[in-house]
Amino acid sequence: MIAVVLVGGEGTRLRPLTLDEPKPVLPIGGVPFVSLLLDRLAAAGVTKVILSCGYLPDRLRAAVVSAPAGIEVEVVVEDEPLGTAGAIRFAAVGRVDGPFLALNGDVLGDADFGALVAAHHAAGAVASIGLTPVDDPTRFGVVVHDAQGNVERFVEKPPNADGLGPAPWWVNAGAYVLDPSVLDLIPADRMVSIEREIFPELVGRGLICVHSDGYWRDIGTLESFLTANADAVAGRVHTRLGGADAAILVDGSARVDADAVLIAPVLIAAGAVVGAGARVGPDTVIGEGATVGPNATVQGSVLLAGAQVAADAHVERSAIGRNALVGERAHVLDSALGTDQAASAGEHLTGERRPA
Ligand code: GDD
Ligand code: MG
């Protein structure tokens, strides 16, 4: 089985974290998200992954050099964004010769892709969409369908829930099985959205959907990125991290002062340092080589590799980018600092997103 994974987006909703790293390279529990996705594809029996890149492809290339055994990864780069369908076409033509998986590269989950593939074959479908239930349909592609899974309407990002039936709404989970004939429906050399142009055209022509269970989260906003990290550490999603509700995961090379307090679920990655009197957790990841100074508190947050939180600082529901600095006594709430950015000593930030 071949999988095309869409990773070309700029991750605008995650800026400034994505100013110099594409979204799929951002860490979940200290591991690049794309590596967790490759784990899952390997488990589903996928042998070849085509990464459909546009934005910062070299960072993606570097992140996938150590793919799981049995998976070959090919990186395909668009000169300019082709949209979700255009990108699938560009990546798949000449590389697939049968039904293939196509995935949004920003969804953390643990549902079995094999079940979607099996349903596709059992129905003799042209295209099959995995679905997940949500409470807010406006951020997703809503898939109205009958009891047999035949798609009746596909509505991308409806302005409201009018006419879409009662909650919960079943939406496109960003995982498809496509027959190669779908590629012929996608115009070449222009931007084409599979959600807005191709799926609506396939309604009544072999487009089916399958409810998938298990954990599901699009990591594309700051809030969901933080929640995904917490869920991975807490084991609410099954990953290689082996998380659990009561997890206090401390790498052997991290140094945690005997007078620091760690509150589960929490993960302290390789080479990280936590000083005396610091309180770290719950729902927190301290990335590789990051430091938390004496008496600082970090909760509901993610420190990326090399980030520093100085003494007496407070970080809550925030992401602190690579080698970024939170100065002494600073308070950072609901904010994101990008690579090398800083909050000065004593500064208070709430809901801050610096453009650069
Ligand atoms: N190669 C390439 N080229 N990739 C792209 C492009 C492009 O032009 N545009 C988007 N992508 C990639 C993004 O990197 C991301 O992995 C995926 O396609 C989806 O794009 P998002 O920008 O994250 O879309 P969304 O989250 O607003 O909506 C999509 O995902 C929802 C589920 O999370 C839609 O597919 C919805 O229907 C769906 O419900
Ligand atoms: Mg998304």
Side-chain angles (χ1 to χ4, degrees), residues 76-282:
V76 173
V77 184
E78 297 154 29
D79 289 336
E80 51 197 271
L82 293 171
T84 45
I88 290 171
R89 183 185 190 284
F90 184 72
V93 167
R95 294 188 179 86
V96 302
D97 55 7
F100 61 99
L101 272 166
L103 305 174
N104 286 351
D106 64 346
V107 172
L108 179 67
D110 52 17
D112 177 15
F113 293 130
L116 183 62
V117 176
H120 178 87
H121 288 296
V126 172
S128 305
I129 308 174
L131 306 184
T132 192
V134 299
D135 298 327
D136 172 11
T138 63
R139 289 171 45 210
F140 304 103
V142 180
V143 181
V144 181
H145 56 285
D146 69 15
Q148 286 71 46
N150 298 301
V151 176
E152 295 171 335
R153 275 174 76 203
F154 189 105
V155 195
E156 181 68 9
K157 315 242 167 71
N160 52 56
D162 293 354
L164 298 174
W169 292 279
W170 289 90
V171 301
N172 169 17
Y176 323 124
V177 179
L178 303 177
D179 187 81
S181 62
V182 173
L183 301 174
D184 301 332
L185 303 174
I186 304 170
D189 304 323
R190 74 163 170 91
M191 204 153 169
V192 186
S193 158
I194 198 163
E195 298 88 347
R196 294 181 194 277
E197 297 184 58
I198 306 302
F199 287 149
E201 195 179 324
L202 280 171
V203 169
R205 300 185 194 166
L207 181 62
I208 67 154
C209 59
V210 179
H211 289 194
S212 49
D213 42 21
Y215 181 94
W216 186 89
R217 183 172 296 279
D218 177 319
I219 62 161
T221 65
L222 176 61
E223 195 193 355
S224 65
F225 170 71
L226 296 173
T227 306
N229 268 278
D231 290 344
V233 178
R236 287 185 280 268
V237 53
H238 184 256
T239 69
R240 67 163 86 156
L241 298 173
D245 228 12
I248 296 185
L249 304 172
V250 182
D251 186 272
S253 64
R255 281 186 293 129
V256 178
D257 191 279
D259 290 329
V261 178
L262 301 183
I263 305 156
V266 63
L267 183 151
I268 315 287
V273 176
V274 179
R279 290 176 67 86
V280 179

